[in-house]
Amino acid sequence: MNCWTRRQFGYLAGAACLTGLAPRVARSQAKSRVVVIGGGIGGATVARYLAAGAGTIEVTLVEPKLRYATCFFSSLYLAGMRSFESLTHGYETLAQRYGINVIHDAAATIDPVAKTVALKGGSKLPYDRLVLAPGIAFKFGAIEGYDQAATEIMPHAWIAGPQTELLRRQLESMEDGGLFLIVAPPNPFRCPPGPYERASLVAYYFKQFKPKSKILILDAKDSFFGQELFQDAWARHYPGMIEWLPRQFTGGIKAVDVKHLSVETEGETFKAAVVNFIPPQMAGELTQQAGLADQSGWCPIEPTSFESKLQPGIHIIGDAINSGEMPKSAFLANSQAKVCAFAIAAALTGSDRFAPYLFNTCFTFLAADDAVSDAIAFEPTEGTIKISEILISQVGEDAERRRQVVQAANGWYAAFTHDVFG
Amino acid sequence: MTQTIANGARRIIALLMAISPFVFVAYPGAVAEINRGAQLAAMCASCHRLDGRDEGIPTIIGLDPKKLVETMEAFRSGKRVSQIMNVVARSLSTEEIAALAEYLAVQQRGSERP
């Protein structure tokens, strides 16, 4: 369907661009029911903005965990610069202030015909609209020897929680002079600057406490986001400590051996003291079984409503989607969630709908007093989403400017998590 | 003058109603503009707290709308430099900035919506 772009678009009453449901006049009596599966950044945001609407939508949020730990800023915890507690957020405000029905359970199956979600605990939730914010899942088996059990020896620490704490313990108990090996995944994956920020911050920790240690990044790619910025920072802050080997050098990652803590590439086997293996990724739980993901492993969506292109009535937001030029970031999950909430509200209640606004900023730490950022605006176009404006930090910026980004990043974390969890 | 009255009416509507980003009542034109402001402000809330608290990123509520428009114009032209705000200002239309300024101007400390 030919929808609008930001520049062409003025104001549209209702939701003519949503498939499968004509705009309805607001109903004063019966409440529409929206079920949100997944209480991460995208899921919590969409639930909050739907519940804060005109009060005509009943919102249920399904999330197994009692508290959510943010992946963003988790490498600050790995470096000893932040407590794990400071990364975690509960659902109390969403339940109490916004009246969201928070159910701590996991979704088992979706019936798109009956419009119900069955939970593992046994109950069944009917919905008018369903939102999935499942995040990522790992392609276990893509690399020989790396399966679920291997994560206990070589943590991925790419979904924040016990994995992140395990990696921190391993880094703490590592002897000075050890090798910390990071395996960086192929595109697309959650948080493009993430593996390299992690290398930077662990180097910051090593520099203070284990200065003879080294970091090796074995990359499934030949280049990465912000590469010049990182390599400049590594040379300035941690000379000789971090080595990055692209795929064209190693021939690619072939296998892991958890017993010997080694990673095998085409031409060489690397043995390390601590291995952080970040596996290849795909859309999270339920998306594959429910027929929401395509052959790419990610979920195709309508760019102005985030409604599935494969299953009408089901919306998908966050890292699980195949999102044109949008990177997989928490900031964008939050941005997409708002666009999705306004589209659903328009479809269910007939409320106003405007040109969707999608924006991303990633704050990336290179050291305690050195951070960089990017700012990207996006525009939905025919069937996909493209970058319309972009600015990225540059090599050679003065130290004061970088310190200001650190300050902005910390302010952003507080405001952002407040926006998501209340 | 007409503009002033229209702005005044919008403000009164905004103040009187405990509105949300998806309100549907009388005065559709004015309300639509407020809703547009509210939906755009939701995007600002990813960085700027809309309850007036400032934890390192300045608050943007309760500001004179004319001043906010001028500031955004300066970000758009590059006269004021801020990587993030330069991109934000360039990706919003003049009408969107006006709607946003009107909405943010009438928000009060501690009365955050949603």
Side-chain angles (χ1 to χ4, degrees), chain A residues 178-210:
Chain A
L179 176 69
F180 173 46
L181 198 160
I182 299 174
V183 176
N187 290 323
F189 65 100
R190 165 177 282 178
C191 190
Y196 317 97
E197 179 190 55
R198 179 168 288 178
S200 309
L201 289 173
V202 172
Y204 180 78
Y205 165 69
F206 284 169
K207 192 177 169 181
Q208 297 168 80
F209 301 103
K210 305 175 194 224

PDB file of all heavy atoms in Angstrom, chain A residues 178-210:
ATOM      1  N   GLY A 178      46.390 -12.050  30.877  1.00  0.00           N
ATOM      2  CA  GLY A 178      45.528 -12.972  30.132  1.00  0.00           C
ATOM      3  C   GLY A 178      45.009 -12.349  28.840  1.00  0.00           C
ATOM      4  O   GLY A 178      45.099 -11.145  28.624  1.00  0.00           O
ATOM      5  N   LEU A 179      44.478 -13.226  27.992  1.00  0.00           N
ATOM      6  CA  LEU A 179      43.879 -12.755  26.738  1.00  0.00           C
ATOM      7  C   LEU A 179      42.353 -12.824  26.846  1.00  0.00           C
ATOM      8  O   LEU A 179      41.785 -13.874  27.164  1.00  0.00           O
ATOM      9  CB  LEU A 179      44.341 -13.614  25.560  1.00  0.00           C
ATOM     10  CG  LEU A 179      43.687 -13.267  24.204  1.00  0.00           C
ATOM     11  CD1 LEU A 179      44.151 -11.905  23.682  1.00  0.00           C
ATOM     12  CD2 LEU A 179      43.977 -14.345  23.154  1.00  0.00           C
ATOM     13  N   PHE A 180      41.697 -11.685  26.569  1.00  0.00           N
ATOM     14  CA  PHE A 180      40.238 -11.634  26.512  1.00  0.00           C
ATOM     15  C   PHE A 180      39.848 -11.608  25.045  1.00  0.00           C
ATOM     16  O   PHE A 180      40.235 -10.702  24.308  1.00  0.00           O
ATOM     17  CB  PHE A 180      39.734 -10.380  27.235  1.00  0.00           C
ATOM     18  CG  PHE A 180      38.250 -10.134  27.089  1.00  0.00           C
ATOM     19  CD1 PHE A 180      37.326 -11.162  27.251  1.00  0.00           C
ATOM     20  CD2 PHE A 180      37.765  -8.863  26.790  1.00  0.00           C
ATOM     21  CE1 PHE A 180      35.963 -10.938  27.121  1.00  0.00           C
ATOM     22  CE2 PHE A 180      36.400  -8.625  26.658  1.00  0.00           C
ATOM     23  CZ  PHE A 180      35.493  -9.673  26.823  1.00  0.00           C
ATOM     24  N   LEU A 181      39.098 -12.622  24.631  1.00  0.00           N
ATOM     25  CA  LEU A 181      38.750 -12.746  23.216  1.00  0.00           C
ATOM     26  C   LEU A 181      37.268 -12.445  23.012  1.00  0.00           C
ATOM     27  O   LEU A 181      36.413 -13.009  23.694  1.00  0.00           O
ATOM     28  CB  LEU A 181      39.076 -14.178  22.775  1.00  0.00           C
ATOM     29  CG  LEU A 181      39.204 -14.472  21.282  1.00  0.00           C
ATOM     30  CD1 LEU A 181      39.982 -15.760  21.087  1.00  0.00           C
ATOM     31  CD2 LEU A 181      37.870 -14.574  20.609  1.00  0.00           C
ATOM     32  N   ILE A 182      36.983 -11.527  22.117  1.00  0.00           N
ATOM     33  CA  ILE A 182      35.593 -11.219  21.757  1.00  0.00           C
ATOM     34  C   ILE A 182      35.346 -11.706  20.331  1.00  0.00           C
ATOM     35  O   ILE A 182      36.119 -11.352  19.426  1.00  0.00           O
ATOM     36  CB  ILE A 182      35.314  -9.694  21.813  1.00  0.00           C
ATOM     37  CG1 ILE A 182      35.532  -9.143  23.228  1.00  0.00           C
ATOM     38  CG2 ILE A 182      33.890  -9.380  21.339  1.00  0.00           C
ATOM     39  CD1 ILE A 182      35.423  -7.614  23.323  1.00  0.00           C
ATOM     40  N   VAL A 183      34.307 -12.516  20.155  1.00  0.00           N
ATOM     41  CA  VAL A 183      33.910 -12.884  18.795  1.00  0.00           C
ATOM     42  C   VAL A 183      32.747 -11.970  18.409  1.00  0.00           C
ATOM     43  O   VAL A 183      31.701 -11.975  19.061  1.00  0.00           O
ATOM     44  CB  VAL A 183      33.495 -14.360  18.700  1.00  0.00           C
ATOM     45  CG1 VAL A 183      32.997 -14.682  17.290  1.00  0.00           C
ATOM     46  CG2 VAL A 183      34.671 -15.263  19.067  1.00  0.00           C
ATOM     47  N   ALA A 184      32.949 -11.155  17.372  1.00  0.00           N
ATOM     48  CA  ALA A 184      31.917 -10.199  16.943  1.00  0.00           C
ATOM     49  C   ALA A 184      31.087 -10.810  15.819  1.00  0.00           C
ATOM     50  O   ALA A 184      31.627 -11.456  14.921  1.00  0.00           O
ATOM     51  CB  ALA A 184      32.564  -8.900  16.490  1.00  0.00           C
ATOM     52  N   PRO A 185      29.759 -10.627  15.882  1.00  0.00           N
ATOM     53  CA  PRO A 185      28.855 -11.349  14.973  1.00  0.00           C
ATOM     54  C   PRO A 185      28.740 -10.729  13.578  1.00  0.00           C
ATOM     55  O   PRO A 185      29.103  -9.569  13.374  1.00  0.00           O
ATOM     56  CB  PRO A 185      27.510 -11.249  15.693  1.00  0.00           C
ATOM     57  CG  PRO A 185      27.580  -9.954  16.429  1.00  0.00           C
ATOM     58  CD  PRO A 185      29.025  -9.751  16.817  1.00  0.00           C
ATOM     59  N   PRO A 186      28.173 -11.501  12.642  1.00  0.00           N
ATOM     60  CA  PRO A 186      27.885 -10.944  11.316  1.00  0.00           C
ATOM     61  C   PRO A 186      26.681 -10.010  11.369  1.00  0.00           C
ATOM     62  O   PRO A 186      25.861 -10.103  12.283  1.00  0.00           O
ATOM     63  CB  PRO A 186      27.568 -12.190  10.476  1.00  0.00           C
ATOM     64  CG  PRO A 186      27.068 -13.197  11.459  1.00  0.00           C
ATOM     65  CD  PRO A 186      27.784 -12.921  12.748  1.00  0.00           C
ATOM     66  N   ASN A 187      26.550  -9.129  10.372  1.00  0.00           N
ATOM     67  CA  ASN A 187      25.367  -8.258  10.265  1.00  0.00           C
ATOM     68  C   ASN A 187      24.169  -9.087   9.820  1.00  0.00           C
ATOM     69  O   ASN A 187      24.349 -10.059   9.096  1.00  0.00           O
ATOM     70  CB  ASN A 187      25.622  -7.173   9.212  1.00  0.00           C
ATOM     71  CG  ASN A 187      26.654  -6.173   9.685  1.00  0.00           C
ATOM     72  OD1 ASN A 187      26.708  -5.824  10.865  1.00  0.00           O
ATOM     73  ND2 ASN A 187      27.489  -5.710   8.761  1.00  0.00           N
ATOM     74  N   PRO A 188      22.939  -8.666  10.191  1.00  0.00           N
ATOM     75  CA  PRO A 188      22.643  -7.609  11.150  1.00  0.00           C
ATOM     76  C   PRO A 188      22.596  -8.162  12.565  1.00  0.00           C
ATOM     77  O   PRO A 188      22.277  -9.336  12.768  1.00  0.00           O
ATOM     78  CB  PRO A 188      21.249  -7.136  10.712  1.00  0.00           C
ATOM     79  CG  PRO A 188      20.610  -8.355  10.108  1.00  0.00           C
ATOM     80  CD  PRO A 188      21.716  -9.219   9.570  1.00  0.00           C
ATOM     81  N   PHE A 189      22.916  -7.327  13.532  1.00  0.00           N
ATOM     82  CA  PHE A 189      22.884  -7.781  14.921  1.00  0.00           C
ATOM     83  C   PHE A 189      22.546  -6.613  15.835  1.00  0.00           C
ATOM     84  O   PHE A 189      22.610  -5.458  15.429  1.00  0.00           O
ATOM     85  CB  PHE A 189      24.238  -8.401  15.305  1.00  0.00           C
ATOM     86  CG  PHE A 189      25.400  -7.434  15.295  1.00  0.00           C
ATOM     87  CD1 PHE A 189      25.879  -6.875  16.468  1.00  0.00           C
ATOM     88  CD2 PHE A 189      26.025  -7.069  14.103  1.00  0.00           C
ATOM     89  CE1 PHE A 189      26.944  -5.982  16.460  1.00  0.00           C
ATOM     90  CE2 PHE A 189      27.088  -6.190  14.087  1.00  0.00           C
ATOM     91  CZ  PHE A 189      27.554  -5.638  15.272  1.00  0.00           C
ATOM     92  N   ARG A 190      22.170  -6.964  17.066  1.00  0.00           N
ATOM     93  CA  ARG A 190      21.798  -5.957  18.067  1.00  0.00           C
ATOM     94  C   ARG A 190      22.995  -5.053  18.368  1.00  0.00           C
ATOM     95  O   ARG A 190      24.088  -5.539  18.627  1.00  0.00           O
ATOM     96  CB  ARG A 190      21.352  -6.685  19.341  1.00  0.00           C
ATOM     97  CG  ARG A 190      21.284  -5.821  20.583  1.00  0.00           C
ATOM     98  CD  ARG A 190      20.774  -6.605  21.776  1.00  0.00           C
ATOM     99  NE  ARG A 190      19.336  -6.751  21.707  1.00  0.00           N
ATOM    100  CZ  ARG A 190      18.593  -7.417  22.582  1.00  0.00           C
ATOM    101  NH1 ARG A 190      19.166  -8.019  23.608  1.00  0.00           N
ATOM    102  NH2 ARG A 190      17.284  -7.493  22.443  1.00  0.00           N
ATOM    103  N   CYS A 191      22.760  -3.748  18.323  1.00  0.00           N
ATOM    104  CA  CYS A 191      23.733  -2.736  18.732  1.00  0.00           C
ATOM    105  C   CYS A 191      25.052  -2.778  17.946  1.00  0.00           C
ATOM    106  O   CYS A 191      26.064  -3.285  18.438  1.00  0.00           O
ATOM    107  CB  CYS A 191      24.014  -2.842  20.230  1.00  0.00           C
ATOM    108  SG  CYS A 191      24.991  -1.458  20.858  1.00  0.00           S
ATOM    109  N   PRO A 192      25.049  -2.233  16.717  1.00  0.00           N
ATOM    110  CA  PRO A 192      26.252  -2.297  15.875  1.00  0.00           C
ATOM    111  C   PRO A 192      27.556  -1.815  16.530  1.00  0.00           C
ATOM    112  O   PRO A 192      28.605  -2.421  16.302  1.00  0.00           O
ATOM    113  CB  PRO A 192      25.874  -1.446  14.654  1.00  0.00           C
ATOM    114  CG  PRO A 192      24.381  -1.549  14.585  1.00  0.00           C
ATOM    115  CD  PRO A 192      23.905  -1.619  16.016  1.00  0.00           C
ATOM    116  N   PRO A 193      27.561  -0.756  17.348  1.00  0.00           N
ATOM    117  CA  PRO A 193      28.851  -0.391  17.965  1.00  0.00           C
ATOM    118  C   PRO A 193      29.175  -1.214  19.213  1.00  0.00           C
ATOM    119  O   PRO A 193      30.277  -1.102  19.774  1.00  0.00           O
ATOM    120  CB  PRO A 193      28.664   1.092  18.346  1.00  0.00           C
ATOM    121  CG  PRO A 193      27.209   1.359  18.335  1.00  0.00           C
ATOM    122  CD  PRO A 193      26.508   0.243  17.646  1.00  0.00           C
ATOM    123  N   GLY A 194      28.219  -2.061  19.665  1.00  0.00           N
ATOM    124  CA  GLY A 194      28.330  -2.720  20.963  1.00  0.00           C
ATOM    125  C   GLY A 194      29.589  -3.540  21.221  1.00  0.00           C
ATOM    126  O   GLY A 194      30.232  -3.366  22.253  1.00  0.00           O
ATOM    127  N   PRO A 195      29.976  -4.448  20.298  1.00  0.00           N
ATOM    128  CA  PRO A 195      31.156  -5.275  20.592  1.00  0.00           C
ATOM    129  C   PRO A 195      32.429  -4.441  20.759  1.00  0.00           C
ATOM    130  O   PRO A 195      33.324  -4.791  21.546  1.00  0.00           O
ATOM    131  CB  PRO A 195      31.272  -6.176  19.346  1.00  0.00           C
ATOM    132  CG  PRO A 195      29.905  -6.183  18.743  1.00  0.00           C
ATOM    133  CD  PRO A 195      29.319  -4.834  19.040  1.00  0.00           C
ATOM    134  N   TYR A 196      32.485  -3.338  20.041  1.00  0.00           N
ATOM    135  CA  TYR A 196      33.696  -2.514  20.010  1.00  0.00           C
ATOM    136  C   TYR A 196      33.720  -1.560  21.209  1.00  0.00           C
ATOM    137  O   TYR A 196      34.778  -1.236  21.741  1.00  0.00           O
ATOM    138  CB  TYR A 196      33.779  -1.805  18.655  1.00  0.00           C
ATOM    139  CG  TYR A 196      33.423  -2.805  17.565  1.00  0.00           C
ATOM    140  CD1 TYR A 196      32.133  -2.890  17.028  1.00  0.00           C
ATOM    141  CD2 TYR A 196      34.356  -3.773  17.169  1.00  0.00           C
ATOM    142  CE1 TYR A 196      31.778  -3.874  16.115  1.00  0.00           C
ATOM    143  CE2 TYR A 196      34.013  -4.768  16.258  1.00  0.00           C
ATOM    144  CZ  TYR A 196      32.717  -4.815  15.733  1.00  0.00           C
ATOM    145  OH  TYR A 196      32.380  -5.813  14.846  1.00  0.00           O
ATOM    146  N   GLU A 197      32.517  -1.146  21.634  1.00  0.00           N
ATOM    147  CA  GLU A 197      32.423  -0.385  22.891  1.00  0.00           C
ATOM    148  C   GLU A 197      32.838  -1.290  24.051  1.00  0.00           C
ATOM    149  O   GLU A 197      33.547  -0.865  24.964  1.00  0.00           O
ATOM    150  CB  GLU A 197      30.989   0.111  23.116  1.00  0.00           C
ATOM    151  CG  GLU A 197      30.850   0.893  24.426  1.00  0.00           C
ATOM    152  CD  GLU A 197      29.410   1.195  24.806  1.00  0.00           C
ATOM    153  OE1 GLU A 197      28.605   0.246  24.885  1.00  0.00           O
ATOM    154  OE2 GLU A 197      29.100   2.382  25.018  1.00  0.00           O
ATOM    155  N   ARG A 198      32.399  -2.546  23.987  1.00  0.00           N
ATOM    156  CA  ARG A 198      32.755  -3.498  25.047  1.00  0.00           C
ATOM    157  C   ARG A 198      34.276  -3.674  25.112  1.00  0.00           C
ATOM    158  O   ARG A 198      34.860  -3.653  26.202  1.00  0.00           O
ATOM    159  CB  ARG A 198      32.064  -4.834  24.810  1.00  0.00           C
ATOM    160  CG  ARG A 198      32.398  -5.869  25.854  1.00  0.00           C
ATOM    161  CD  ARG A 198      31.497  -7.079  25.765  1.00  0.00           C
ATOM    162  NE  ARG A 198      30.147  -6.772  26.237  1.00  0.00           N
ATOM    163  CZ  ARG A 198      29.143  -7.648  26.224  1.00  0.00           C
ATOM    164  NH1 ARG A 198      29.327  -8.864  25.750  1.00  0.00           N
ATOM    165  NH2 ARG A 198      27.948  -7.305  26.686  1.00  0.00           N
ATOM    166  N   ALA A 199      34.908  -3.819  23.955  1.00  0.00           N
ATOM    167  CA  ALA A 199      36.373  -3.942  23.933  1.00  0.00           C
ATOM    168  C   ALA A 199      37.014  -2.704  24.562  1.00  0.00           C
ATOM    169  O   ALA A 199      37.951  -2.805  25.359  1.00  0.00           O
ATOM    170  CB  ALA A 199      36.858  -4.123  22.494  1.00  0.00           C
ATOM    171  N   SER A 200      36.487  -1.524  24.230  1.00  0.00           N
ATOM    172  CA  SER A 200      37.041  -0.274  24.747  1.00  0.00           C
ATOM    173  C   SER A 200      36.935  -0.217  26.267  1.00  0.00           C
ATOM    174  O   SER A 200      37.889   0.150  26.957  1.00  0.00           O
ATOM    175  CB  SER A 200      36.294   0.934  24.160  1.00  0.00           C
ATOM    176  OG  SER A 200      36.230   0.851  22.759  1.00  0.00           O
ATOM    177  N   LEU A 201      35.765  -0.570  26.789  1.00  0.00           N
ATOM    178  CA  LEU A 201      35.545  -0.421  28.232  1.00  0.00           C
ATOM    179  C   LEU A 201      36.255  -1.508  29.038  1.00  0.00           C
ATOM    180  O   LEU A 201      36.726  -1.251  30.143  1.00  0.00           O
ATOM    181  CB  LEU A 201      34.048  -0.375  28.539  1.00  0.00           C
ATOM    182  CG  LEU A 201      33.387   0.939  28.074  1.00  0.00           C
ATOM    183  CD1 LEU A 201      31.877   0.885  28.246  1.00  0.00           C
ATOM    184  CD2 LEU A 201      33.955   2.138  28.832  1.00  0.00           C
ATOM    185  N   VAL A 202      36.356  -2.711  28.488  1.00  0.00           N
ATOM    186  CA  VAL A 202      37.129  -3.746  29.183  1.00  0.00           C
ATOM    187  C   VAL A 202      38.609  -3.337  29.165  1.00  0.00           C
ATOM    188  O   VAL A 202      39.329  -3.529  30.162  1.00  0.00           O
ATOM    189  CB  VAL A 202      36.886  -5.146  28.578  1.00  0.00           C
ATOM    190  CG1 VAL A 202      37.845  -6.172  29.173  1.00  0.00           C
ATOM    191  CG2 VAL A 202      35.439  -5.582  28.818  1.00  0.00           C
ATOM    192  N   ALA A 203      39.054  -2.719  28.084  1.00  0.00           N
ATOM    193  CA  ALA A 203      40.436  -2.205  28.037  1.00  0.00           C
ATOM    194  C   ALA A 203      40.635  -1.134  29.113  1.00  0.00           C
ATOM    195  O   ALA A 203      41.696  -1.066  29.743  1.00  0.00           O
ATOM    196  CB  ALA A 203      40.734  -1.634  26.653  1.00  0.00           C
ATOM    197  N   TYR A 204      39.617  -0.322  29.314  1.00  0.00           N
ATOM    198  CA  TYR A 204      39.695   0.712  30.355  1.00  0.00           C
ATOM    199  C   TYR A 204      39.872   0.053  31.731  1.00  0.00           C
ATOM    200  O   TYR A 204      40.674   0.507  32.553  1.00  0.00           O
ATOM    201  CB  TYR A 204      38.417   1.567  30.327  1.00  0.00           C
ATOM    202  CG  TYR A 204      38.409   2.653  31.355  1.00  0.00           C
ATOM    203  CD1 TYR A 204      39.126   3.837  31.159  1.00  0.00           C
ATOM    204  CD2 TYR A 204      37.692   2.502  32.546  1.00  0.00           C
ATOM    205  CE1 TYR A 204      39.133   4.833  32.127  1.00  0.00           C
ATOM    206  CE2 TYR A 204      37.700   3.490  33.511  1.00  0.00           C
ATOM    207  CZ  TYR A 204      38.411   4.653  33.298  1.00  0.00           C
ATOM    208  OH  TYR A 204      38.419   5.628  34.256  1.00  0.00           O
ATOM    209  N   TYR A 205      39.167  -1.042  31.953  1.00  0.00           N
ATOM    210  CA  TYR A 205      39.287  -1.806  33.213  1.00  0.00           C
ATOM    211  C   TYR A 205      40.673  -2.456  33.316  1.00  0.00           C
ATOM    212  O   TYR A 205      41.354  -2.357  34.342  1.00  0.00           O
ATOM    213  CB  TYR A 205      38.168  -2.849  33.255  1.00  0.00           C
ATOM    214  CG  TYR A 205      38.324  -3.948  34.268  1.00  0.00           C
ATOM    215  CD1 TYR A 205      38.229  -3.682  35.638  1.00  0.00           C
ATOM    216  CD2 TYR A 205      38.540  -5.268  33.866  1.00  0.00           C
ATOM    217  CE1 TYR A 205      38.367  -4.694  36.576  1.00  0.00           C
ATOM    218  CE2 TYR A 205      38.677  -6.291  34.790  1.00  0.00           C
ATOM    219  CZ  TYR A 205      38.592  -5.996  36.147  1.00  0.00           C
ATOM    220  OH  TYR A 205      38.726  -7.006  37.059  1.00  0.00           O
ATOM    221  N   PHE A 206      41.109  -3.097  32.239  1.00  0.00           N
ATOM    222  CA  PHE A 206      42.426  -3.738  32.244  1.00  0.00           C
ATOM    223  C   PHE A 206      43.534  -2.719  32.506  1.00  0.00           C
ATOM    224  O   PHE A 206      44.479  -2.985  33.239  1.00  0.00           O
ATOM    225  CB  PHE A 206      42.696  -4.423  30.890  1.00  0.00           C
ATOM    226  CG  PHE A 206      41.966  -5.734  30.685  1.00  0.00           C
ATOM    227  CD1 PHE A 206      41.951  -6.338  29.429  1.00  0.00           C
ATOM    228  CD2 PHE A 206      41.328  -6.378  31.738  1.00  0.00           C
ATOM    229  CE1 PHE A 206      41.300  -7.548  29.222  1.00  0.00           C
ATOM    230  CE2 PHE A 206      40.664  -7.584  31.538  1.00  0.00           C
ATOM    231  CZ  PHE A 206      40.654  -8.169  30.273  1.00  0.00           C
ATOM    232  N   LYS A 207      43.426  -1.577  31.879  1.00  0.00           N
ATOM    233  CA  LYS A 207      44.475  -0.554  31.992  1.00  0.00           C
ATOM    234  C   LYS A 207      44.711  -0.189  33.468  1.00  0.00           C
ATOM    235  O   LYS A 207      45.837   0.057  33.889  1.00  0.00           O
ATOM    236  CB  LYS A 207      44.053   0.685  31.199  1.00  0.00           C
ATOM    237  CG  LYS A 207      45.169   1.703  30.985  1.00  0.00           C
ATOM    238  CD  LYS A 207      44.661   2.849  30.130  1.00  0.00           C
ATOM    239  CE  LYS A 207      45.647   4.004  30.110  1.00  0.00           C
ATOM    240  NZ  LYS A 207      45.140   5.119  29.288  1.00  0.00           N
ATOM    241  N   GLN A 208      43.621  -0.198  34.242  1.00  0.00           N
ATOM    242  CA  GLN A 208      43.757   0.143  35.660  1.00  0.00           C
ATOM    243  C   GLN A 208      44.202  -1.045  36.506  1.00  0.00           C
ATOM    244  O   GLN A 208      45.005  -0.889  37.411  1.00  0.00           O
ATOM    245  CB  GLN A 208      42.409   0.613  36.218  1.00  0.00           C
ATOM    246  CG  GLN A 208      41.862   1.865  35.583  1.00  0.00           C
ATOM    247  CD  GLN A 208      40.417   2.048  36.002  1.00  0.00           C
ATOM    248  OE1 GLN A 208      40.128   2.519  37.100  1.00  0.00           O
ATOM    249  NE2 GLN A 208      39.504   1.612  35.151  1.00  0.00           N
ATOM    250  N   PHE A 209      43.653  -2.240  36.222  1.00  0.00           N
ATOM    251  CA  PHE A 209      43.838  -3.360  37.152  1.00  0.00           C
ATOM    252  C   PHE A 209      44.643  -4.533  36.598  1.00  0.00           C
ATOM    253  O   PHE A 209      45.180  -5.313  37.371  1.00  0.00           O
ATOM    254  CB  PHE A 209      42.465  -3.869  37.633  1.00  0.00           C
ATOM    255  CG  PHE A 209      41.661  -2.809  38.333  1.00  0.00           C
ATOM    256  CD1 PHE A 209      40.616  -2.163  37.695  1.00  0.00           C
ATOM    257  CD2 PHE A 209      41.994  -2.424  39.629  1.00  0.00           C
ATOM    258  CE1 PHE A 209      39.892  -1.174  38.348  1.00  0.00           C
ATOM    259  CE2 PHE A 209      41.274  -1.431  40.285  1.00  0.00           C
ATOM    260  CZ  PHE A 209      40.216  -0.797  39.640  1.00  0.00           C
ATOM    261  N   LYS A 210      44.696  -4.683  35.291  1.00  0.00           N
ATOM    262  CA  LYS A 210      45.420  -5.824  34.695  1.00  0.00           C
ATOM    263  C   LYS A 210      46.140  -5.349  33.438  1.00  0.00           C
ATOM    264  O   LYS A 210      45.811  -5.758  32.321  1.00  0.00           O
ATOM    265  CB  LYS A 210      44.437  -6.962  34.361  1.00  0.00           C
ATOM    266  CG  LYS A 210      43.626  -7.380  35.588  1.00  0.00           C
ATOM    267  CD  LYS A 210      42.560  -8.413  35.287  1.00  0.00           C
ATOM    268  CE  LYS A 210      41.642  -8.468  36.492  1.00  0.00           C
ATOM    269  NZ  LYS A 210      41.279  -9.795  36.936  1.00  0.00           N
TER     270      LYS A 210
END
